[in-house]
Amino acid sequence: MPFAVVNCANLSGDMALSSLFGHKKGAFTGAVQDNSGYIAEADGGILFLDEVHTLEKSCQQKLLRVLNDGTFRQVGGSLDCHSEFQLIGASTRDLEEAVNDGTFLLDLWMRMTGFEVKLPPLRERLDELPALIQSFLDQEHQCIPEPEFSRLVAHCQKFYWQGNVRQLFRTLKLLLTLNDNDGSQIKAEQLAFHRSMQEPHTRPDRMECSRPSMERSISEHIMAPMHQDISLDEAMDAYEKFVIEACLNRHQSVNGAMRALGVSRSALAVKRQKHGLMG
C-alpha cells in the first residue's frame, strides 16, 4: 500500500504545489521533467501531511477539491488527474485555533475531521522516557549499562523538552557522537544542555532568584577568614566549590563548564566528586 509522507513545513510557493500535485515538464524554470507529486503517489494508499497547519492557502484550496472528489490538476497540466487515498494530518497547533485566526480553511478542517488522536507533549508523559530512550538506543544499536541508563533517564526527566521526542532524540544522538558512538562510555551528566530544554517562563525567574542567594553565600565564605580561624585548605575548598557550582549552573552542561574553567573533563569530575556536585 502506498504511504506518501509530506513535511508541509518544508513546502512554500511553487514548490509546494509542485511537490503535492506534481508538474509538467516546462511548467516553470527548472521543471526539466514531469513530476507526479505526492498526491498521485498516494493513490490507493495513505497521504500523511505532517505540520499540516503550515500548508499555504493555495495548497489548502486545491487539497480541498481532491478530498471532495479525488480530482486535481498538475502545475502546467491541462487535464484532470485522479487519486483516492486516506488522509492523515499531524499538527503541533490546534487546527481550530488556526481556523479562527484565518490561517487554515474552515472547509478543509471540517473535511479532515474524523478520528482524532491528541498526543500530550513529552513533558506531560515523562514516565515514557525509559521506553523512548531504549527505543532510540535500539535504533542506534547501542547498549548502556543499567545503572547509567537509570541515571540518564532520571537526568532527562529534569527537562521541559519544548521540542518533544524529536529534541530528545537529537540530544541523545549528540551524546552518542561525543562518545564516538560507544554506549558503554556514556555518562548521564555529559548530556548536552540547550535553553529550549527548560520551561521558558521559569528561566529568568530562576536565574534572578538564585544569583543573589549564591552571591550572598559566596561573600559570607570569602569574609569568614576575616572573623574566625579557618585553614587555608578549607577556605580554598569552599571557594572552589562555589566557583564550580556557579559555572555549572550558568552553562547547564559539563562540556560548557569544562571549557569555561579551563580544566579537563577528568579533572572537573574529580573536583565535582570531591565537593558533592555530581547530582
Side-chain angles (χ1 to χ4, degrees):
M1 178 183 293
F3 187 76
V5 180
V6 186
N7 185 354
C8 298
N10 291 337
L11 304 181
S12 61
D14 291 338
M15 184 183 72
L17 291 172
S18 171
S19 297
L20 282 174
F21 302 97
H23 65 254
K24 289 295 185 180
K25 179 180 179 180
F28 52 84
T29 302
V32 296
Q33 61 184 11
D34 291 349
N35 174 36
S36 59
Y38 287 115
I39 288 177
E41 292 177 9
D43 188 25
I46 296 173
L47 177 66
F48 175 54
L49 300 180
D50 195 13
E51 300 292 357
V52 65
H53 66 281
T54 64
L55 203 59
E56 295 186 347
K57 280 289 187 67
S58 57
C59 289
Q60 293 182 35
Q61 292 165 349
K62 294 192 68 173
L63 181 60
L64 182 59
R65 181 188 176 192
V66 181
L67 295 178
N68 284 333
D69 58 19
T71 60
F72 66 98
R73 187 167 294 184
Q74 295 180 326
V75 178
S78 58
L79 299 176
D80 284 341
C81 302
H82 190 83
S83 181
E84 293 286 348
F85 54 85
Q86 293 291 325
L87 177 66
I88 299 177
S91 175
T92 53
R93 187 182 178 195
D94 189 324
L95 290 183
E96 189 170 0
E97 291 182 359
V99 169
N100 291 336
D101 65 20
T103 59
F104 202 80
L105 293 177
L106 174 62
D107 288 344
L108 180 57
W109 175 65
M110 295 177 64
R111 186 66 179 80
M112 291 178 59
T113 302
F115 184 74
E116 185 175 359
V117 178
K118 289 189 176 182
L119 186 64
L122 179 58
R123 59 184 173 272
E124 295 179 10
R125 46 193 179 95
L126 294 178
D127 57 323
E128 297 180 17
L129 276 173
L132 289 169
I133 294 174
Q134 187 60 59
S135 174
F136 172 81
L137 293 174
D138 290 344
Q139 293 176 24
E140 297 293 324
H141 306 290
Q142 297 294 330
C143 181
I144 297 179
E146 174 53 37
E148 199 59 45
F149 179 84
S150 298
R151 282 191 285 271
L152 179 60
V153 170
H155 194 60
C156 289
Q157 287 175 333
K158 300 176 183 178
F159 300 117
Y160 188 77
W161 299 113
Q162 290 188 69
N164 296 299
V165 176
R166 290 173 179 168
Q167 184 181 30
L168 171 67
F169 282 7
R170 286 197 301 271
T171 305
L172 292 173
K173 181 67 175 180
L174 178 58
L175 181 63
L176 288 181
T177 302
L178 292 175
N179 285 274
D180 297 324
N181 288 325
D182 185 354
S184 63
Q185 302 299 317
I186 284 178
K187 302 297 181 184
E189 63 268 18
Q190 295 173 345
L191 194 75
F193 176 81
H194 304 282
R195 290 177 62 86
S196 60
M197 291 161 64
Q198 282 186 296
E199 187 172 0
H201 67 272
T202 61
R203 289 184 222 134
D205 294 342
R206 183 160 65 182
M207 290 175 64
E208 293 303 318
C209 290
S210 63
R211 186 179 294 118
S213 176
M214 180 174 288
E215 288 175 352
R216 284 195 301 271
S217 184
I218 292 175
S219 177
E220 290 171 2
H221 278 75
I222 291 177
M223 296 301 297
M226 304 295 180
H227 309 291
Q228 55 184 303
D229 292 333
I230 297 176
S231 70
L232 181 60
D233 287 342
E234 186 180 356
M236 295 300 293
D237 283 347
Y239 184 68
E240 183 180 66
K241 176 181 178 180
F242 280 112
V243 170
I244 294 173
E245 186 175 17
C247 195
L248 287 168
N249 287 334
R250 187 167 62 253
H251 291 276
Q252 293 292 331
S253 76
V254 174
N255 289 335
M258 180 183 69
R259 288 190 293 268
L261 294 171
V263 297
S264 67
R265 180 180 295 278
S266 58
L268 182 57
V270 170
K271 293 181 182 297
R272 292 177 65 204
Q273 183 73 41
K274 172 184 176 181
H275 298 302
L277 299 175
M278 297 299 290

